[in-house]
Structures are given as structure tokens and as C-alpha cells.
Amino acid sequence: RSSDLSPIMAESFASISLVKRVCLVASVFLLIPSLAPIVNAEVVIEERSNHVGDWFEYDGYGNSLAIAMANQYAQIDGADFVGWTLVWDELLRVEVTEKATCDIGEWSGTCLRTVGVHHLNITLQWAENTTQYDDDKLLLNVTSEIHSESPFSTSTWHFEQRRISLRSWFSGDDEMNMVETETTTKITTEESNPKPKIIEKGDTWQSSVTIQKRDEMRQRINLGMWNESLSEREETQTIVYTVEDEASVNTAKENWQTLRLRQQGLGEDNYSISYLSEFGWPIRTEEYENGTLTMSMTLSDFHSATISGVKETSVETPSLGIIGVVATLYMVAVIIPKKRLS
């Protein structure tokens, strides 16, 4: 069996706006621990590194991801698309794995490497007899893996590799069919200005961000031959950062005093909000499209040498761009055929 999916793929790429396709350098994971916690004072964040062995777990990522995907199908199929059911969702886990020698763009030196991993399994449902699927259901498994490299010394460079694996199963003609899509996106980013070493309420700055992206996509149906494609592009955008206010964020483990940092492309409607603790960890992150909240996740658990062990000085720190992960997923989510494979 075979199917020509390239026209649908092209349409999905064309429908993604620049904001959705780029990964903001200082997006939701500004992991910049400070020298020490600040008690009974205004929140001020002094930039410091994470440490090998540190890990952070966030709740809400999978649910937001599932809703975003369901919205895409609802836009395509309208009332025929009924909704989705959660089968399995785990916490998004971000871990600092090693200190290594890295070459990022024009920069070379010691860096910290970070890995973020997440798994999601959902069932998508359409109205009765509106698809060629038996029971009008589609099983979908999504694995997200993000590898990040951040210089250990002052640098405006950053590297990230995102691998999104999407596997779908559906029954048709009393036979199980499977569609697999794997997308690997390599992103090298350079900022015109380094991030401030200290941030506090009222601060604002902007930076021109140049992003070099390489997308490697491959697809196959029913364990057949892989259909592979490659694209490369360079994008430039000016990002405006604003420390809007202080805010209290309550989590299951404790209450946090945070700084609310807004990140927005110049002239764009979409933006993200990071609620940063005095250690610089994002306690909660939110993303908005045209003023509507589309993603929210909250720190659930963590381990950090900033609190329990020896600290190491660094200016740049690992980051994980959730906007970019969702954008990558958008590229492949709409290519799953609703028609019976033939």
C-alpha cells in the first residue's frame, strides 16, 4: 500500500506562521538559578547555571499538547470531529545530563547539555460513519525528545535538536493500519545581545534573533519504505522581553514568589509568559495566541544542586522551547489520512 502525502504536508507547512515555527531563544525554560534564595524581599534573579544531575518535572504539558492537536483536527473536519480521550500522559521531565565540549555556530567551548522527554497517548474520535476508520477512531502516540546545548561562558549562541515521533493506528477493512512520522529539527540560534545577568520587576530589553533550522522528516505506512524529505531555512526576528510584575504561584508542593516575564515577537500578537522563581526556574509557563491561552504547565517536582549541593558559575543555561515543540508537531499532525489507505 502507498499514499502520496506530500500535498497535504506542503499545506501543513504553509499554514504555520513564523511565530509558531521559530523557537524563541529565551522561551519558557529560562533556567537561571540565582546565588541564593531571597526571603521577605522583592524578587531579583541573578543569572547562574544549572548543574549536572539537576532535573525538573512539569505537569500540564501533555494535556495542552492534546488540546492543541485536537483543535487542529477540529479546524480541518469541523463538526465531524468529536474530540479526544487521554490514554497515557507522563510529566515532562527536563534533566541536565553532562558538561561537554561543544561547537555551536561560531562559538566553541564548554557547554551544558540538557534533555527533555515526554510521552503522550490519546484516542481521536470522529462522528459515526464520517471516516473510513472502523469505529471512527484513531490511536495516536507522540514522543517528544529535546536535546539542548548552552555555552558555559558568556555567549549569544545556542543549539537545540528536537525529535518528534508520531505513530497512529486505525482499523479499516478489518485490518490494522499504521502511519509513522518522525521529524528531527536542528536549530542553531544567535542573539544580537546577551541576556541580562540580573533581572527584576520593570526590566525590559530586546534582541534580534537569527535562527538557522534544518528539518529532516520521514514517513512510512504499514512498515513500508520510508519517504524522506529535508528542508533548511534561516529566520530573523526581534524578541521583546518585559518583566511585568511579581506574582504568587501556588503548586502542589509549595508556594512561590515569582517574576512574570513576557516574551513577544516585535509586531506579533502571540506571546509567552514565564513565572520565574528567585532561583530563575520557571514555576509556570503559559503561551497565548491572539490573547487566548493555548498552553499552560506548572512545576511539579525538582532536584537541584543550587539548593542541595555545590554551585557552578555560568551565564548561559539550558533552555527548552515548548512553542517550537508544538510547532514541529503541527507540521506532522495534519498529514494522517482520513481515507482508507490503498
Side-chain angles (χ1 to χ4, degrees):
R1 294 176 176 178
S2 63
S3 177
D4 183 9
L5 301 179
S6 57
I8 307 176
M9 188 196 313
E11 289 179 6
S12 78
F13 270 94
S15 67
I16 302 169
S17 69
L18 176 64
V19 172
K20 286 182 178 179
R21 288 187 287 120
V22 303
C23 173
L24 305 184
V25 174
S27 59
V28 296
F29 279 83
L30 291 173
L31 299 182
I32 43 178
S34 66
L35 296 172
I38 300 170
V39 182
N40 296 326
E42 292 185 354
V43 181
V44 177
I45 300 174
E46 299 182 30
E47 200 168 16
R48 295 295 295 252
S49 77
N50 289 304
H51 322 287
V52 174
D54 285 2
W55 55 263
F56 305 83
E57 292 183 339
Y58 290 84
D59 188 21
Y61 176 82
N63 185 69
S64 296
L65 200 58
I67 292 174
M69 294 179 61
N71 287 341
Q72 290 293 303
Y73 283 106
Q75 291 177 15
I76 297 171
D77 298 327
D80 288 346
F81 180 73
V82 175
W84 60 279
T85 302
L86 179 65
V87 178
W88 170 256
D89 176 29
E90 65 179 30
L91 297 176
L92 169 66
R93 182 181 177 94
V94 182
E95 184 173 357
V96 184
T97 57
E98 65 175 335
K99 184 192 299 184
T101 300
C102 302
D103 295 310
I104 308 174
E106 299 176 1
W107 179 89
S108 180
T110 304
C111 73
L112 281 180
R113 288 178 173 159
T114 303
V115 177
V117 178
H118 180 265
H119 300 281
L120 176 69
N121 196 315
I122 61 175
T123 300
L124 302 174
Q125 179 73 58
W126 283 262
E128 186 176 1
N129 296 325
T130 59
T131 75
Q132 297 297 324
Y133 309 151
D134 294 343
D135 299 324
D136 299 290
K137 291 182 179 179
L138 179 73
L139 303 178
L140 193 61
N141 181 277
V142 183
T143 299
S144 306
E145 186 173 304
I146 304 93
H147 296 259
S148 176
E149 295 180 352
S150 295
F152 214 65
S153 59
T154 301
S155 175
T156 56
W157 291 88
H158 179 268
F159 175 77
E160 183 175 284
Q161 175 176 295
R162 300 193 293 262
R163 178 174 288 113
I164 310 298
S165 299
L166 188 150
R167 290 172 173 79
S168 62
W169 296 266
F170 60 94
S171 179
D173 293 334
D174 297 321
E175 184 176 345
M176 184 61 68
N177 296 281
M178 179 172 66
V179 178
E180 298 173 273
T181 302
E182 295 181 359
T183 301
T184 300
T185 303
K186 298 179 181 179
I187 306 168
T188 301
T189 306
E190 182 185 17
E191 289 194 83
S192 61
N193 301 310
K195 305 178 187 71
K197 294 183 178 180
I198 299 177
I199 64 173
E200 54 188 329
K201 177 181 175 180
D203 286 352
T204 183
W205 69 97
Q206 68 180 41
S207 182
S208 176
V209 182
T210 301
I211 305 167
Q212 297 176 355
K213 299 184 71 173
R214 176 185 174 94
D215 289 312
E216 301 171 4
M217 179 183 288
R218 64 177 191 165
Q219 306 162 320
R220 67 177 179 177
I221 300 172
N222 293 331
L223 301 179
M225 296 291 293
W226 287 102
N227 179 24
E228 300 181 350
S229 63
L230 171 67
S231 66
E232 295 180 317
R233 61 191 181 277
E234 182 174 300
E235 301 164 343
T236 302
Q237 188 179 33
T238 298
I239 307 298
V240 180
Y241 306 91
T242 305
V243 184
E244 296 183 321
D245 205 347
E246 298 180 8
S248 297
V249 177
N250 300 327
T251 67
K253 295 193 69 173
E254 57 186 290
N255 300 329
W256 299 84
Q257 292 301 311
T258 70
L259 288 178
R260 189 173 69 215
L261 176 65
R262 179 182 179 120
Q263 303 148 74
Q264 186 169 14
L266 188 64
E268 299 287 346
D269 294 327
N270 301 345
Y271 60 92
S272 65
I273 299 289
S274 299
Y275 294 83
L276 305 176
S277 74
E278 62 265 29
F279 298 106
W281 308 329
I283 306 303
R284 176 176 295 158
T285 61
E286 300 170 344
E287 293 180 4
Y288 293 83
E289 294 185 12
N290 299 317
T292 301
L293 179 65
T294 58
M295 179 166 288
S296 177
M297 60 185 183
T298 303
L299 182 66
S300 175
D301 199 2
F302 68 92
H303 168 78
S304 174
T306 298
I307 293 178
S308 58
V310 178
K311 308 174 183 61
E312 297 177 90
T313 301
S314 173
V315 174
E316 292 295 325
T317 54
S319 66
L320 176 61
I322 303 305
I323 290 177
V325 176
V326 178
T328 302
L329 191 56
Y330 283 161
M331 293 179 185
V332 301
V334 298
I335 67 170
I336 299 174
K338 275 187 60 182
K339 296 180 181 178
R340 182 183 293 119
L341 302 177
S342 59

